Amino acid sequence: MNFAPFPTPRAEAARPWNWRRALLWGALLGLLVVAQSLLVALTLSYEDARAQEHVDQVATEVAARVRQLAGQDLQALQGLLWQDRTRPRRMGDEAELLRRLRAVMRIEFRNAHLQVLDVAESPYVSPLFKQLPRGQMQVETELACSAAQRQGTQLYSRSYFIPLPGGEGLEVVDLCLPLLNAKAVDSYLVATLSLRHLLEEAVTQDLVRGHELSFVEGDGTRLARTGVSRGAGVYLAERLVDLPGLTLQLKVDATAGRPQLIPNLATALVLGLSLSLFALVILLARDGRRRALAESALAESLAFRHAMENSLITGLRARTMAGSISYVNPAFCAMVGFKAEELLGHGARPDRPHDTPPYWPPEFVEEYRRRHADRSARWAADNRPGGQDPRQGFETVFMRRNGERFPVLIFEAPLLDAQGQQTGWMSAVLDVSDQRRMEELSRQQQERLQATARLATMGEMASLLSHELNQPLAAIASYATASVNLLANEPDDPQTPDLVRQAALRIAEQAERAGRVIKSVHGFVRRREQSRETIAVDQLFEAVLPLVRLQARKSGTRIALELPEPSPRVRCDRTMVEQVLLNLTRNAIQAMEEHTAAPQRLLTLRAAVVDSRWVSISVAPAFRLRSAVSFTPPSSPRGPRAWAWA
């Protein structure tokens, strides 16, 4: 069903908040906050773990690279140790080796007593022991060579610092390679390696740009470093680089700090999705609030409508396009005497010709089916410009459960859905049986009043009627006496039969005259049903002329008739029109008695065709026009109209 919303007393009032719903929404929002916070925290933790894992991987790779480079340097120095020791050859090989091994700063050949026999310096840096003599800085070297002699293998010394010109310096280590001969040390090869150059050679340019790499001692003292910028101190990784006789601690410090929320793509996506989810939840909460308010308003509106429908005395009925009844209100059920479940589903459906509403009289079933079949066509015609307004309704007959027929007035309108499509018909049904009874009582009462008025008129005209009847009765008596005398005195006279025949004809004429007067009075006074009929205008005049002449003869008024040829025919209630004409003529005659001399008293009854639809009848006294009655011809659907002039 399609109803317009009804205003309710609480439609605009604020509704109390549902605490249970509020707790549920609060719990949902709390869970979303916790879940999204955990998701962001996990995302940040994941990014943090990735950054730390990357630093650890860099540290592992660099440590492996340092060990690899140290091994390569060791192999190159061992090859130099076992070559021919003639001086020209040896010095050329050492220079070539120092150009290839950037981490090796100095190569020394020493005898069994660790005395320096020969030295080669790296071409990439200034001589190492220019600031301080070698003799003052060989404690670590001697310890390493002594250990190498005992173990019979190459060993690294502990790191020590060598100052350079310009305030700079290098942290270096010495690699001592003993040359054994018959289980005795014949000589030593000592190579000095720069930890910084070794670290620089072990890393790539990508690692240098994003990390700070350094060798540190156990207490954190930095021995050597490389890298474009300083580390942020957030992501750190340390690895031990085990060399023969020496363990170096490699420290990798990433230049990147903690992952930020927005610059990080993954975190930004998570935050964006979280904000979108929160916005969606807020919109859903707002929509749910509106929906709850709408449902509450709808429930109140439905309750109000239900109460209103139950209090109506007008029957409401809804039917589908197929004709099945889909809704009835209590007033309609009380009107026809059937329950709602007995009516719903029944109707004028083509597929179920015998399933008719129980309130349809059997004699009107086919007519009602045809009316329902052309309802859509009639509705379309009524909605065209100039069509009939459907709110005028139509009258029909229903049947109660006990078989009683009663008239109803039905107003119908189409039922439309939310898209404006027609889904059926909505009818308002009024029981007009009481109204028809009141109309019948009113009509009967009106007839009684009219009959009383006619009787009163006849009472006023009683003396005139007695005079009018005395004349034909006296003539009848005279002609009858003359006939008796003729038959008694001159029975054999040949003229007697003719005279008696003439007297009988006069008696018949006078009797007919008296009968017409009595019939006119009887027809005027008698009570009958109101009905419209088609009648000629001259017949209306002839019906009232006997009574008009009685009144006119008393006052000395002459009567004149003006009728067109042929006499027009009109459709009217003859009794009512005759009463109006009689009243108008009486008024006109009485008016002339007061204002017009007896020789000038003339009453003209005139009829004229105004147009194809109207006929005008005038009752005109001699001095001025007093009143008129207008009628429509039989072809017009309209009834008579009357008016009067003062």
Side-chain angles (χ1 to χ4, degrees):
M1 296 180 64
N2 187 16
F3 293 105
F6 290 89
T8 61
R10 298 181 57 196
E12 301 297 333
R15 293 171 175 80
W17 179 259
N18 191 328
W19 289 107
R20 182 178 180 183
R21 182 176 297 171
L23 290 176
L24 291 177
W25 279 107
L28 176 61
L29 291 176
L31 290 176
L32 285 176
V33 169
V34 172
Q36 295 304 314
S37 300
L38 290 177
L39 181 60
V40 173
L42 289 176
T43 304
L44 293 176
S45 177
Y46 172 73
E47 294 297 324
D48 187 79
R50 285 186 56 188
Q52 184 62 47
E53 181 181 356
H54 179 67
V55 172
D56 293 339
Q57 183 178 0
V58 169
T60 303
E61 291 178 358
V62 172
R65 179 64 176 166
V66 169
R67 285 192 292 269
Q68 180 182 4
L69 291 176
Q72 293 176 358
D73 293 345
L74 178 61
Q75 292 178 0
L77 292 172
Q78 287 178 345
L80 182 63
L81 182 64
W82 292 101
Q83 289 180 0
D84 187 7
R85 298 182 183 178
T86 60
R87 185 174 180 81
R89 173 83 177 174
R90 187 172 59 205
M91 294 302 295
D93 293 339
E94 292 171 356
E96 179 64 24
L97 183 62
L98 289 173
R99 281 193 297 271
R100 286 190 302 108
L101 304 178
R102 297 179 64 87
V104 179
M105 300 289 102
R106 178 184 173 93
I107 298 176
E108 298 176 347
F109 289 94
R110 297 191 178 197
N111 57 20
H113 302 288
L114 294 177
Q115 294 177 350
V116 177
L117 301 178
D118 200 357
V119 175
E121 298 283 350
S122 174
Y124 301 109
V125 294
S126 59
L128 295 180
F129 300 103
K130 190 175 182 179
Q131 294 291 105
L132 294 176
R134 177 59 170 164
Q136 296 181 8
M137 304 185 66
Q138 60 179 357
V139 176
E140 301 297 337
T141 306
E142 294 176 354
L143 293 175
C145 290
S146 298
Q149 179 185 4
R150 291 193 302 271
Q151 298 177 12
T153 183
Q154 60 274 5
L155 294 176
Y156 286 90
S157 68
R158 293 181 60 183
S159 65
Y160 58 94
F161 182 77
I162 299 177
L164 296 177
E168 297 180 356
L170 289 175
E171 192 75 22
V172 298
V173 293
D174 290 335
L175 174 59
C176 183
L177 288 81
L179 179 60
L180 300 177
N181 186 9
K183 296 182 180 182
V185 176
D186 184 20
S187 61
Y188 296 93
L189 188 149
V190 178
T192 303
L193 284 79
S194 170
L195 295 181
R196 188 187 72 183
H197 290 80
L198 179 63
L199 191 59
E200 289 176 352
E201 192 176 358
V203 299
T204 62
Q205 293 297 324
D206 294 337
L207 295 179
V208 169
R209 284 193 296 268
H211 302 82
E212 180 187 10
L213 299 97
S214 57
F215 288 120
V216 297
E217 293 184 348
D219 57 359
T221 302
R222 183 183 290 112
L223 301 178
R225 66 167 296 277
T226 185
V228 176
S229 58
R230 296 287 181 180
V234 177
Y235 299 108
L236 301 173
E238 295 183 356
R239 293 292 185 273
L240 295 178
V241 181
D242 293 326
L243 299 176
L246 176 65
T247 299
L248 296 175
Q249 186 173 356
L250 175 65
K251 180 179 179 181
V252 179
D253 188 356
T255 58
R258 294 288 181 185
Q260 299 180 3
L261 295 180
I262 302 305
N264 185 274
L265 179 60
T267 309
L269 290 176
V270 171
L271 286 177
L273 292 176
S274 300
L275 294 176
S276 301
L277 182 59
F278 274 112
L280 181 61
V281 170
I282 292 174
L283 292 177
L284 288 176
R286 183 180 180 186
D287 182 71
R289 175 64 174 169
R290 291 182 176 178
R291 186 181 298 273
L293 292 176
E295 290 176 354
S296 178
L298 178 61
E300 292 183 2
S301 178
L302 290 177
F304 179 80
R305 184 179 295 113
H306 184 69
M308 183 185 65
E309 292 171 0
N310 291 339
S311 65
L312 286 177
I313 60 174
T314 301
L316 298 179
R317 177 194 63 184
R319 292 195 288 182
T320 63
M321 296 298 293
S324 298
I325 299 175
S326 59
Y327 168 79
V328 288
N329 71 334
F332 186 85
C333 296
M335 185 183 303
V336 298
F338 294 94
K339 297 180 179 179
E341 53 268 19
E342 296 176 314
L343 299 175
L344 296 179
H346 298 282
R349 296 184 56 177
D351 55 339
R352 292 187 294 180
H354 300 291
D355 185 15
T356 59
Y359 53 84
W360 279 8
E363 62 271 19
F364 297 136
V365 168
E366 295 301 326
E367 178 184 352
Y368 290 178
R369 284 187 180 277
R370 288 193 300 271
R371 182 171 62 192
H372 176 75
D374 64 353
R375 179 174 284 105
S376 298
R378 289 190 293 105
W379 173 257
D382 291 342
N383 280 272
R384 290 197 301 266
Q388 181 181 3
D389 188 356
R391 292 174 295 180
Q392 293 179 358
F394 62 93
E395 188 171 336
T396 187
V397 178
F398 281 175
M399 181 179 66
R400 305 188 198 275
R401 178 184 284 272
N402 57 9
E404 176 189 357
R405 273 67 169 172
F406 64 99
V408 294
L409 185 61
I410 300 179
F411 299 87
E412 283 194 331
L415 271 177
L416 305 178
D417 58 11
Q419 288 73 35
Q421 300 295 325
Q422 183 178 357
T423 60
W425 301 90
M426 187 66 192
S427 306
V429 183
L430 299 176
D431 185 354
V432 295
S433 56
D434 293 338
Q435 180 180 350
R436 295 294 177 266
R437 283 194 293 269
M438 294 301 297
E439 291 176 356
E440 179 64 21
L441 291 175
S442 177
R443 186 188 63 80
Q444 294 176 2
Q445 188 69 21
Q446 186 67 26
E447 288 186 357
R448 293 191 185 96
L449 293 174
Q450 294 173 5
T452 303
R454 289 192 293 269
L455 290 175
T457 303
M458 290 299 99
E460 296 177 0
M461 302 177 66
S463 60
L464 298 176
L465 288 174
S466 62
H467 177 72
E468 185 71 16
L469 290 176
N470 282 334
Q471 289 182 352
L473 291 177
I476 290 172
S478 298
Y479 287 123
T481 302
S483 298
V484 172
N485 292 332
L486 286 175
L487 292 175
N489 297 328
E490 301 178 5
D492 298 329
D493 189 352
Q495 294 182 354
T496 298
D498 293 335
L499 294 175
V500 173
R501 185 180 301 108
Q502 292 179 5
L505 290 176
R506 297 294 184 273
I507 291 173
E509 290 177 357
Q510 295 298 324
E512 183 180 359
R513 176 184 173 186
R516 285 199 303 268
V517 174
I518 295 173
K519 182 180 179 182
S520 176
V521 174
H522 179 266
F524 181 75
V525 175
R526 78 180 187 275
R527 181 185 175 199
R528 63 178 181 82
E529 296 291 333
Q530 294 183 357
S531 62
R532 291 178 178 271
E533 58 180 313
T534 302
I535 187 172
V537 176
D538 57 351
Q539 295 180 7
L540 295 174
F541 287 165
E542 290 176 359
V544 298
L545 276 177
L547 301 178
V548 174
R549 286 194 180 100
L550 290 176
Q551 184 74 18
R553 188 178 295 114
K554 178 181 177 181
S555 63
T557 302
R558 292 170 296 157
I559 304 297
L561 293 178
E562 295 182 6
L563 293 174
E565 291 293 339
S567 178
R569 299 176 63 82
V570 296
R571 183 174 178 81
C572 63
D573 188 329
R574 180 173 181 174
T575 302
M576 298 296 295
V577 174
E578 291 175 358
Q579 179 69 50
V580 171
L581 289 176
L582 184 59
N583 292 338
L584 292 176
T585 55
R586 289 180 58 202
N587 293 340
I589 292 172
Q590 292 175 1
M592 287 189 294
E593 288 177 353
E594 298 178 359
H595 302 90
T596 307
Q600 298 177 358
R601 295 174 185 172
L602 175 63
L603 180 64
T604 304
L605 302 181
R606 184 183 299 112
V609 178
V610 178
D611 55 29
S612 60
R613 298 177 56 191
W614 293 91
V615 175
S616 175
I617 298 177
S618 302
V619 178
F623 58 92
R624 58 175 175 173
L625 183 63
R626 295 289 294 179
S627 57
V629 179
S630 178
F631 305 95
T632 57
S635 60
S636 174
R638 301 185 181 182
R641 302 288 177 88
W643 65 90
W645 290 271

